[in-house]
Structures are given as C-alpha cells and as structure tokens.
Amino acid sequence: MYDLPSKPKADFRSPRSFEDVTAAWLSKILTNAAPGVEVLTCEHQEQIWGCAGKLRVKLSYNEVGQNAGLPDTLILKAGFGIHPIEYEAPSNYPELYAYREIVPQLPVNSPKIYFAETDGDGRTLLVMQDLRGSGASFCSVQSPLAYDDAAKFLAEFAAIHARWWNSPDLAPGAKFDFVPDTLEPSGGKDVLAFLELMFLTEEYWEELKKLPRYHSVPRSYHDLEKLKAGIYKLQGEWRKLPKCMVHGDEHLGNLYMDADGNPGMIDWQCKKAPWVETFAYFTAASLDLEDRRKWERPLLQHYLDCLNVHGVSAPTFDDAWVGYRE
C-alpha cells in the first residue's frame, strides 16, 4: 500500500455509493471551502466510470455559498464502493496527494480542488472544479494533436520536470518519499513491480488473449516473459538518466485546452521518473503515427530547449534521442 503523507481525516466518510451524495452530506464536505455554507439542492447529472467513479452534481447554495462563489456544478471522484481498498490505494492515492501536495507548487493549468482527503478507512474523495463549465475542451484519442498543440503540452511538461530536476527532494526519505518511483523499489512503491503484480501475470495474460485488441498488438509483444524482461532491462537503462517529477499518465484523455487555448492536465498520477518516460508516452499516445515520425525530432529538440529555458542543463539531442528510442 502507498504511504500517506498525512493522517486520514476521520470526521468524514467517503461515499460508498452515488446515493450517499446528498445536499446535507455535501454541506459538511464544503465547509472548509466556505464556512457556514449550506447546500440547498443536489442534482446528480452524470456518472463517469474509469479506474474510479466520477459524479457530476448540480448544486444550489445558501447566501454564504453564493457569496463565496462556489460553482453551480462540481465533480466528485471516489471509489464509490466498487473496488476493494487494496485496489483503491494504488489507484487513487497518487492523484489525491498530487493535487494536494504537488500541483499547487507547479506553474500549470489544472482543476481547482475543493476537498481532497482520505477517510478513516483509507478511502479517498476528491471534489473538484467542473472544467466543462469553464469553456475547456478535452482532448481525445480520436483526434490526434496538431504540431503546435503538441509543442504547447511539451513546454508544460518541461516546466513540470524542471521544478524538481535531480532534486534532493526526490531522494528516498526526503520530501516526496510518498510519491511512487518508476524505477526503484521503495516500500512497495516500485511502479514496474506494481505492473508486474497487477497485469504481467499468466492469469491476466490469458484473459487478454480473449479480447479483440490483443490481436492488434504486434506478435513480438505476445511473449509475456520477453515483455517482462524488456521492461526490466529498460528499468536498468533509465536508472542512468536524471530523475524528475512527472505527471505520470500523459495520454489525451487526461489533457485539455482552456477557453484561451492554453494546455491543462487532469488525473495526475505523479511519479519520480526519468523525463523520457513523459516524452515517449505523450508522443506515442497523442500523435498520429505518420505525424509522429515527421515531428518527433523537432518536438524533442523543442522539449530540450524548454528545459534549458527553465535553467536545467538538458541532455544533448543525441543522448535524448537514444533514451527516447529505448
């Protein structure tokens, strides 16, 4: 289980079902954002399922809430009783603590957070801004990015990485000891070991073989043992690279453009990792295949230039290109 950087908040209970989310319950949840607030009505508008559940609610408030400028709609993100705590901890803790401990220290667009806590049972709750009401447009895997938009996101990633580039705060036992590390085993927080435990098992692989998407994967990746060996060889190579704080899940479903055309990010899964993890993940997941082949070199140079602007002594292009190809 992931370590907690602070004690659970025992005087609230994360919702175990959507029906738990009522006006009276939300009045207690939002009291830190606006002391004396009373939620008068709570309408459930939409349920969205992923690794956690999300509930969009439409609210009305007493005068205190109105004067505090609390929004008419909010997003609640929690397990809602679907997953066992053993699953909720590694899935939800990184995001909750990223929003609370890391994102406020970064120069990035991200939703405003109104509540971020774990309850006495270790279950989480995030109450956040509904970006749909602010004019934001979410990216989609069905619409690969244009070059200029990809470059904007890479500039944001460079700013994130530069903030703690090779920082002692990332060392074991230091400020961010609670953040999982892609490379190093540390109290059960080695991300690759987690992947092996959860996904790279014979049982899981046999289930995958039954799915249509399995047959669209190149045959060279059908060999589970070869795949595991490759991942851990990559782990060894990446240990040689500078480490930084990364968003951790940089696919298009977690990215958006605000009303002014500036990039933003949701669903933070912060990890301590080499910079190349972000660059490779983002370009592979966000660009059309043919565009990526044309643009990956200039985009890599753009990313390295952005690191230098933020005062980081960036890798040379040749070294960065090797790391990216790996």
Side-chain angles (χ1 to χ4, degrees), residues 168-199:
D169 288 342
L170 305 183
K175 178 179 179 179
F176 292 117
D177 190 50
F178 66 91
V179 178
D181 193 312
T182 301
L183 302 179
E184 301 296 339
S186 174
K189 298 192 291 290
D190 174 4
V191 175
L192 293 182
F194 171 71
L195 286 175
E196 182 170 12
L197 177 67
M198 294 293 291
F199 304 117

Side-chain angles (χ1 to χ4, degrees), residues 39-271:
V39 178
L40 303 178
T41 61
C42 173
E43 175 189 340
H44 293 197
Q45 289 196 319
E46 185 180 7
Q47 300 174 9
I48 307 167
W49 280 107
C51 292
K54 286 185 282 188
L55 175 66
R56 177 177 283 108
V57 292
K58 184 176 182 180
L59 309 174
S60 65
Y61 307 96
N62 65 354
E63 188 174 351
V64 171
Q66 295 172 31
N67 292 338
L70 292 178
D72 294 336
T73 60
L74 287 170
I75 299 292
L76 280 68
K77 188 170 184 179
F80 291 105
I82 299 299
H83 301 302
I85 187 61
E86 292 79 8
Y87 178 91
E88 187 165 331
S91 297
N92 298 352
Y93 285 5
E95 180 180 17
L96 187 148
Y97 290 115
Y99 277 123
R100 206 167 76 182
E101 312 285 343
I102 299 170
V103 176
Q105 303 182 60
L106 295 171
V108 292
N109 266 346
S110 201
K112 182 176 180 179
I113 302 299
Y114 295 89
F115 188 89
E117 295 288 353
T118 55
D119 68 14
D121 294 329
R123 296 189 181 275
T124 62
L125 173 67
L126 280 170
V127 180
M128 65 182 73
Q129 176 188 5
D130 179 11
L131 291 170
R132 190 170 66 176
S134 68
S137 58
F138 286 92
C139 300
S140 168
V141 69
Q142 283 79 25
S143 300
L145 294 180
Y147 182 92
D148 288 347
D149 288 339
K152 288 181 181 179
F153 278 108
L154 285 169
E156 293 295 290
F157 292 135
I160 295 169
H161 299 169
R163 176 66 178 83
W164 291 290
W165 186 273
N166 257 355
S167 169
D169 288 342
L170 305 183
K175 178 179 179 179
F176 292 117
D177 190 50
F178 66 91
V179 178
D181 193 312
T182 301
L183 302 179
E184 301 296 339
S186 174
K189 298 192 291 290
D190 174 4
V191 175
L192 293 182
F194 171 71
L195 286 175
E196 182 170 12
L197 177 67
M198 294 293 291
F199 304 117
L200 301 181
T201 66
E202 292 290 347
E203 295 78 12
Y204 189 84
W205 218 247
E206 289 303 314
E207 291 301 312
L208 279 182
K209 289 179 181 179
K210 302 174 185 177
L211 302 177
R213 66 173 179 264
Y214 177 85
H215 300 286
S216 68
V217 174
R219 285 191 298 273
S220 59
Y221 291 102
H222 287 196
D223 185 333
L224 177 58
E225 292 307 314
K226 180 179 178 181
L227 182 60
K228 288 164 63 174
I231 288 175
Y232 281 93
K233 184 174 182 180
L234 180 64
Q235 185 183 43
E237 292 300 313
W238 278 9
R239 284 198 179 98
K240 306 171 187 176
L241 302 179
K243 191 175 292 185
C244 55
M245 188 77 74
V246 302
H247 173 281
D249 202 11
E250 301 91 345
H251 63 77
L252 286 175
N254 292 335
L255 307 177
Y256 67 92
M257 290 289 188
D258 68 17
D260 297 321
N262 300 310
M265 305 170 198
I266 61 171
D267 200 4
W268 292 74
Q269 298 291 316
C270 286
K271 302 176 182 69

Side-chain angles (χ1 to χ4, degrees), residues 301-324:
Q301 186 60 63
H302 168 69
Y303 168 80
L304 297 174
D305 291 342
C306 290
L307 282 179
N308 286 322
V309 167
H310 289 290
V312 170
S313 180
T316 66
F317 180 87
D318 288 345
D319 287 344
W321 181 250
V322 169
Y324 166 57

